[in-house]
Coordinates of all heavy atoms in Angstrom, one line a residue:
A1 N 158.2 72.8 -138.5 CA 158.8 71.7 -138.0 C 158.7 71.6 -136.5 O 158.7 70.4 -135.9 CB 160.3 71.9 -138.3
Y2 N 158.6 72.6 -135.7 CA 158.5 72.7 -134.3 C 157.2 72.0 -134.0 O 157.1 71.4 -132.9 CB 158.6 74.1 -133.8 CG 158.3 74.3 -132.3 CD1 159.5 74.1 -131.5 CD2 157.1 74.7 -131.8 CE1 159.3 74.4 -130.1 CE2 156.9 74.8 -130.5 CZ 158.1 74.6 -129.7 OH 157.8 74.8 -128.3
L3 N 156.1 72.2 -134.8 CA 154.8 71.6 -134.5 C 154.7 70.1 -134.9 O 153.7 69.5 -134.4 CB 153.7 72.4 -135.2 CG 153.3 73.8 -134.6 CD1 152.3 74.5 -135.6 CD2 152.8 73.7 -133.2
S4 N 155.6 69.7 -135.7 CA 155.5 68.3 -136.1 C 155.7 67.5 -134.9 O 156.5 67.8 -134.0 CB 156.6 68.2 -137.2 OG 156.3 68.7 -138.3
N5 N 155.0 66.3 -135.0 CA 155.1 65.3 -133.9 C 154.4 65.9 -132.5 O 154.7 65.1 -131.6 CB 156.5 64.9 -133.7 CG 157.1 64.2 -134.9 OD1 156.6 63.3 -135.6 ND2 158.3 65.0 -135.4
K6 N 153.7 66.9 -132.6 CA 153.2 67.5 -131.3 C 151.7 67.4 -131.5 O 151.1 67.1 -132.5 CB 153.6 68.9 -131.1 CG 155.0 69.1 -130.7 CD 155.3 70.4 -130.4 CE 156.8 70.6 -129.7 NZ 157.8 70.3 -130.7
E7 N 150.9 67.6 -130.4 CA 149.4 67.9 -130.5 C 149.2 69.2 -130.8 O 149.7 70.2 -130.5 CB 148.9 67.6 -129.0 CG 148.8 66.1 -128.6 CD 147.9 66.0 -127.4 OE1 146.6 65.9 -127.5 OE2 148.5 66.0 -126.2
V8 N 148.3 69.4 -131.8 CA 147.8 70.7 -132.3 C 146.3 70.7 -132.4 O 145.7 69.6 -132.4 CB 148.4 71.0 -133.7 CG1 149.9 71.1 -133.6 CG2 148.0 70.0 -134.7
Y9 N 145.8 71.9 -132.4 CA 144.3 72.0 -132.5 C 143.9 72.8 -133.7 O 144.6 73.8 -133.9 CB 143.8 72.8 -131.1 CG 144.1 72.0 -130.0 CD1 145.3 72.1 -129.3 CD2 143.1 71.1 -129.3 CE1 145.6 71.2 -128.2 CE2 143.3 70.4 -128.3 CZ 144.7 70.5 -127.6 OH 144.9 69.6 -126.5
V10 N 143.1 72.2 -134.5 CA 142.8 72.9 -135.8 C 141.4 73.3 -135.9 O 140.5 72.3 -135.5 CB 143.2 71.8 -137.0 CG1 142.8 72.5 -138.3 CG2 144.6 71.6 -136.9
R11 N 141.1 74.4 -136.4 CA 139.6 74.9 -136.6 C 139.5 75.5 -138.0 O 140.3 76.4 -138.3 CB 139.4 75.9 -135.4 CG 137.9 76.5 -135.6 CD 137.4 77.2 -134.4 NE 137.4 76.0 -133.3 CZ 136.6 75.1 -133.2 NH1 135.5 75.0 -134.1 NH2 136.6 74.1 -132.2
D12 N 138.6 75.1 -138.7 CA 138.1 75.7 -139.9 C 137.0 76.8 -139.6 O 136.0 76.4 -139.0 CB 137.6 74.7 -140.9 CG 138.9 74.0 -141.6 OD1 140.0 74.4 -141.5 OD2 138.7 72.9 -142.1
S13 N 137.1 77.9 -139.9 CA 136.2 79.0 -139.7 C 136.2 80.0 -140.8 O 136.8 79.8 -141.9 CB 136.5 79.7 -138.3 OG 137.9 80.1 -138.5
Y14 N 135.4 81.0 -140.6 CA 135.5 82.0 -141.7 C 135.2 83.5 -141.1 O 134.8 83.5 -139.9 CB 134.4 81.8 -142.8 CG 133.1 81.9 -142.5 CD1 132.3 83.0 -142.7 CD2 132.4 80.7 -141.9 CE1 131.0 83.0 -142.5 CE2 131.1 80.8 -141.7 CZ 130.3 82.0 -141.9 OH 129.0 82.0 -141.7
V15 N 135.6 84.5 -141.8 CA 135.3 85.9 -141.4 C 134.6 86.6 -142.5 O 134.6 86.1 -143.7 CB 136.6 86.6 -141.2 CG1 137.3 86.0 -139.9 CG2 137.6 86.5 -142.3
C16 N 133.7 87.6 -142.1 CA 132.9 88.4 -142.9 C 131.6 87.8 -143.1 O 131.3 86.7 -143.8 CB 133.5 88.7 -144.3 SG 135.1 89.6 -144.4
A17 N 130.6 88.2 -142.3 CA 129.2 87.8 -142.3 C 128.5 87.8 -143.6 O 127.7 86.9 -144.0 CB 128.4 88.4 -141.2
D18 N 128.8 88.7 -144.4 CA 128.2 88.9 -145.8 C 128.8 87.8 -146.7 O 130.0 87.8 -146.9 CB 128.4 90.2 -146.5 CG 127.7 90.5 -147.7 OD1 127.5 89.6 -148.4 OD2 127.3 91.7 -147.8
P19 N 128.0 86.8 -147.3 CA 128.6 85.8 -148.1 C 129.3 86.3 -149.3 O 130.3 85.6 -149.8 CB 127.3 85.0 -148.5 CG 126.1 85.6 -147.8 CD 126.4 86.8 -147.1
N20 N 129.1 87.5 -149.7 CA 129.8 88.0 -150.9 C 131.2 88.4 -150.6 O 132.1 88.5 -151.5 CB 129.0 89.2 -151.5 CG 127.7 88.9 -152.1 OD1 127.5 87.9 -152.6 ND2 126.8 89.8 -151.7
Y21 N 131.5 88.5 -149.2 CA 132.8 88.9 -148.8 C 133.6 87.8 -147.9 O 134.6 88.1 -147.5 CB 132.9 90.3 -148.2 CG 132.3 91.3 -149.0 CD1 130.9 91.5 -149.0 CD2 132.9 92.1 -149.8 CE1 130.3 92.5 -149.7 CE2 132.4 93.1 -150.6 CZ 131.0 93.3 -150.7 OH 130.5 94.2 -151.5
R22 N 132.9 86.7 -147.9 CA 133.4 85.7 -147.0 C 135.0 85.2 -147.3 O 135.3 85.0 -148.5 CB 132.5 84.5 -147.1 CG 133.0 83.2 -146.3 CD 131.9 82.1 -146.4 NE 132.4 80.9 -145.7 CZ 131.7 79.9 -145.4 NH1 130.3 80.0 -145.5 NH2 132.3 78.8 -144.9
L23 N 135.7 85.0 -146.2 CA 137.0 84.5 -146.3 C 137.2 83.4 -145.4 O 137.1 83.5 -144.2 CB 137.9 85.7 -145.9 CG 139.5 85.6 -146.3 CD1 139.6 86.0 -147.7 CD2 140.4 86.6 -145.5
N24 N 137.5 82.2 -145.9 CA 137.7 81.0 -145.1 C 139.1 81.0 -144.5 O 140.1 81.4 -145.1 CB 137.6 79.8 -145.9 CG 136.2 79.5 -146.5 OD1 135.2 80.0 -145.9 ND2 136.0 78.6 -147.4
V25 N 139.1 80.7 -143.1 CA 140.4 80.7 -142.3 C 140.5 79.3 -141.7 O 139.6 79.0 -141.1 CB 140.3 81.8 -141.3 CG1 141.7 81.8 -140.5 CG2 140.1 83.2 -142.0
R26 N 141.8 78.8 -141.9 CA 142.1 77.5 -141.1 C 143.0 78.0 -140.0 O 144.1 78.6 -140.3 CB 142.7 76.4 -142.0 CG 143.4 75.3 -141.2 CD 143.7 74.1 -142.0 NE 142.3 73.5 -142.3 CZ 142.3 72.2 -143.0 NH1 143.4 71.7 -143.5 NH2 141.1 71.7 -143.1
V27 N 142.7 77.7 -138.7 CA 143.4 78.1 -137.6 C 144.2 76.9 -137.0 O 143.6 75.7 -136.8 CB 142.4 78.7 -136.5 CG1 143.3 79.1 -135.3 CG2 141.8 80.0 -137.0
V28 N 145.4 77.0 -136.8 CA 146.3 75.9 -136.1 C 146.8 76.6 -134.9 O 147.6 77.5 -134.9 CB 147.3 75.4 -137.0 CG1 148.2 74.3 -136.3 CG2 146.8 74.9 -138.4
T29 N 146.4 76.0 -133.7 CA 146.9 76.5 -132.4 C 147.6 75.3 -131.6 O 147.4 74.2 -131.8 CB 145.8 77.1 -131.7 OG1 144.9 76.1 -131.2 CG2 145.1 78.1 -132.4
E30 N 148.4 75.8 -130.8 CA 149.2 75.0 -129.8 C 148.5 74.6 -128.6 O 148.6 73.5 -128.0 CB 150.5 75.7 -129.5 CG 151.5 74.8 -128.7 CD 152.8 75.6 -128.4 OE1 152.8 76.9 -128.4 OE2 153.8 74.9 -128.1
T31 N 147.4 75.4 -128.2 CA 146.7 75.2 -127.0 C 145.3 75.1 -127.4 O 144.6 75.7 -128.2 CB 146.8 76.4 -126.0 OG1 146.4 77.5 -126.5 CG2 148.4 76.5 -125.6
P32 N 144.4 74.3 -126.5 CA 143.1 74.3 -126.7 C 142.4 75.6 -126.5 O 141.3 76.0 -127.2 CB 142.6 73.1 -125.8 CG 143.6 73.1 -124.7 CD 145.0 73.5 -125.4
W33 N 142.8 76.4 -125.5 CA 142.2 77.7 -125.2 C 142.3 78.7 -126.3 O 141.5 79.6 -126.5 CB 142.4 78.3 -123.8 CG 144.0 78.4 -123.5 CD1 144.8 77.5 -123.0 CD2 144.9 79.4 -123.8 NE1 146.1 77.9 -122.9 CE2 146.2 79.1 -123.4 CE3 144.6 80.7 -124.5 CZ2 147.2 80.0 -123.6 CZ3 145.8 81.6 -124.6 CH2 147.0 81.2 -124.1
A34 N 143.5 78.7 -127.0 CA 143.6 79.6 -128.1 C 142.6 79.2 -129.2 O 142.1 80.0 -130.0 CB 145.0 79.5 -128.6
N35 N 142.3 77.9 -129.3 CA 141.5 77.4 -130.4 C 140.0 77.8 -130.0 O 139.2 78.1 -130.9 CB 141.6 75.9 -130.6 CG 141.2 75.4 -131.8 OD1 140.0 75.0 -132.1 ND2 142.0 75.4 -132.8
L36 N 139.7 77.8 -128.7 CA 138.4 78.2 -128.2 C 138.2 79.6 -128.4 O 137.0 80.1 -128.8 CB 138.3 77.8 -126.7 CG 136.9 78.2 -126.0 CD1 135.8 77.6 -126.8 CD2 136.9 77.8 -124.5
F37 N 139.2 80.4 -128.4 CA 139.1 81.8 -128.6 C 138.7 82.0 -130.0 O 137.8 82.9 -130.3 CB 140.4 82.4 -128.3 CG 140.5 83.9 -128.6 CD1 140.1 85.0 -127.8 CD2 141.0 84.3 -130.0 CE1 140.2 86.3 -128.3 CE2 141.2 85.7 -130.4 CZ 140.6 86.7 -129.6
C38 N 139.3 81.3 -131.0 CA 139.0 81.4 -132.4 C 137.6 80.9 -132.6 O 136.8 81.4 -133.6 CB 140.0 80.7 -133.2 SG 141.7 81.5 -133.2
Y39 N 137.1 79.9 -132.0 CA 135.7 79.4 -132.1 C 134.7 80.6 -131.7 O 133.8 80.9 -132.3 CB 135.5 78.2 -131.1 CG 134.0 77.8 -131.1 CD1 133.4 76.9 -131.9 CD2 133.2 78.4 -130.0 CE1 132.0 76.8 -131.8 CE2 131.8 78.2 -129.8 CZ 131.4 77.4 -130.8 OH 130.0 77.1 -130.7
N40 N 135.2 81.3 -130.6 CA 134.3 82.4 -130.2 C 134.3 83.6 -131.2 O 133.3 84.2 -131.4 CB 134.8 82.9 -128.9 CG 134.4 82.0 -127.7 OD1 133.6 81.2 -127.8 ND2 135.0 82.2 -126.5
M41 N 135.6 83.9 -131.6 CA 135.8 85.3 -132.4 C 135.5 85.1 -134.0 O 135.1 86.1 -134.6 CB 137.2 85.7 -132.1 CG 137.4 86.0 -130.6 SD 136.1 87.1 -129.8 CE 136.1 88.5 -130.9
F42 N 135.8 84.1 -134.5 CA 135.6 84.0 -135.9 C 134.2 83.3 -136.1 O 133.5 82.8 -135.2 CB 136.6 83.0 -136.6 CG 137.9 83.6 -136.4 CD1 139.2 82.9 -136.5 CD2 138.2 85.1 -136.3 CE1 140.4 83.4 -136.2 CE2 139.5 85.6 -136.2 CZ 140.5 84.8 -136.2
L43 N 133.7 83.3 -137.3 CA 132.4 82.8 -137.6 C 132.4 81.3 -137.9 O 133.4 80.8 -138.4 CB 131.8 83.6 -139.0 CG 131.6 85.0 -138.7 CD1 131.6 85.7 -140.1 CD2 130.1 85.1 -138.2
R44 N 131.4 80.7 -137.3 CA 131.4 79.3 -137.2 C 130.5 78.5 -138.3 O 129.4 78.8 -138.4 CB 130.7 78.8 -135.9 CG 131.5 79.4 -134.7 CD 130.7 79.4 -133.3 NE 129.8 80.6 -133.3 CZ 130.2 81.8 -133.0 NH1 131.4 82.2 -132.7 NH2 129.3 82.8 -133.0
P45 N 131.3 77.8 -139.1 CA 130.5 77.0 -140.3 C 129.6 75.9 -139.8 O 129.9 75.4 -138.7 CB 131.7 76.5 -141.1 CG 132.9 77.0 -140.6 CD 132.7 77.5 -139.2

C-alpha cells in the first residue's frame, strides 16, 4: 500500500547459472540504485 501511487523500479532476473536449478526473481525497489545493484548481482535474462 505504501508503494502504491509511487515511482518504483522493477527488474526481472534470475539466480543459479545452471539452467537445471534456475530460479526466476522479480525485484521491486524504491530507488534506481538498488535496482542497479540487482542488475549487477543477479543473472541477467
Side-chain angles (χ1 to χ4, degrees):
Y2 179 83
L3 287 176
S4 295
N5 302 301
K6 290 185 173 66
E7 283 192 85
V8 296
Y9 298 83
V10 180
R11 175 157 306 281
D12 286 338
S13 56
Y14 66 98
V15 290
C16 300
D18 189 325
N20 295 320
Y21 301 90
R22 173 174 171 167
L23 197 76
N24 288 343
V25 180
R26 170 161 287 182
V27 177
V28 181
T29 65
E30 188 179 20
T31 63
W33 51 266
N35 206 267
L36 178 56
F37 175 86
C38 293
Y39 170 88
N40 286 347
M41 297 310 303
F42 298 151
L43 290 155
R44 296 162 285 277

